[in-house]
Amino acid sequence: MIGFARKFSLGFSTPLIGLTLILESHRVRRLAIIPFILTLLVFMVGLALGLPFITSLVAPFTAWLVSLLKIKPTSDWAVGLSWVLPVLIWPALAVSLLYLLVVLTRVLVAPFYGLLSEKVLVVRGALEPEKFKLFPWLQINARLFRISIVKAFAFAVLGLILTLLSFIPGVGLFTGFGFMILIGYDVTDYAFEALQWSWEQRISFFRANFPAFIGLGAALGLVFLIPGLNFFLLPASVAGAAELVRRLARTVSV
């Protein structure tokens, strides 16, 4: 069995491993181009429109939280909170915005990310290559699109819950990391789909290899902190996640 530290390091290195796979294999690289372009467009538009919007929400949320605590607006406590709460609220809203953009991107690029994960598994010997057939491909992608819609809704609900929890002072850091772990599972799910795993198999893998998802979440958190880097490494994270599943699948009965 692989220990906690080893699984964590494998998860943390996932984006870098995926980037290496894209650079080394032209078969993987050509399937990463379209989702990269779509991801770039979604994040450019989403951040341009979303960041001013969430910034405008900080003051109302701060005033609302102060009013919930029933503190006089002129008191020293109210003045202190008016300085502290925005520092906690804005990062939580920013992470929520990034999470929403990832969910939206997932719906748009699901077929391409599915092909990317499948190609990585084929190149790495975890799947047998199959000849392209149009009708089965359309069926698979229609199913993948339906699943993406359902997951987008489910992840949006979870994201809303985490966002509400993040308004509790001191909890924002933990909820932000929760967002990253959800995104980590999301990019890994394309490999699960390519392997045609059941829901029970996916949850079993997630539980058995949770340290890897903690590492992946930490890596994604660092990626999203660097403007522009996420555009390049989100497709790489999908490719790397497929390799991560290949490496760890033997550690859990699937």
Side-chain angles (χ1 to χ4, degrees), residues 64-95:
W64 176 67
L65 288 173
V66 171
S67 67
L68 282 181
L69 298 174
K70 297 182 179 180
I71 300 174
K72 291 182 179 180
T74 56
S75 67
D76 292 339
W77 276 105
V79 174
L81 287 174
S82 67
W83 285 94
V84 174
L85 288 177
V87 177
L88 299 174
I89 292 173
W90 193 91
L93 291 175
V95 171

Side-chain angles (χ1 to χ4, degrees), residues 133-146 193:
K133 296 180 181 179
L134 179 60
F135 187 68
W137 182 82
L138 291 175
Q139 285 183 318
I140 292 172
N141 281 281
R143 177 173 173 269
L144 186 59
F145 182 76
R146 291 195 301 269
E193 192 67 30

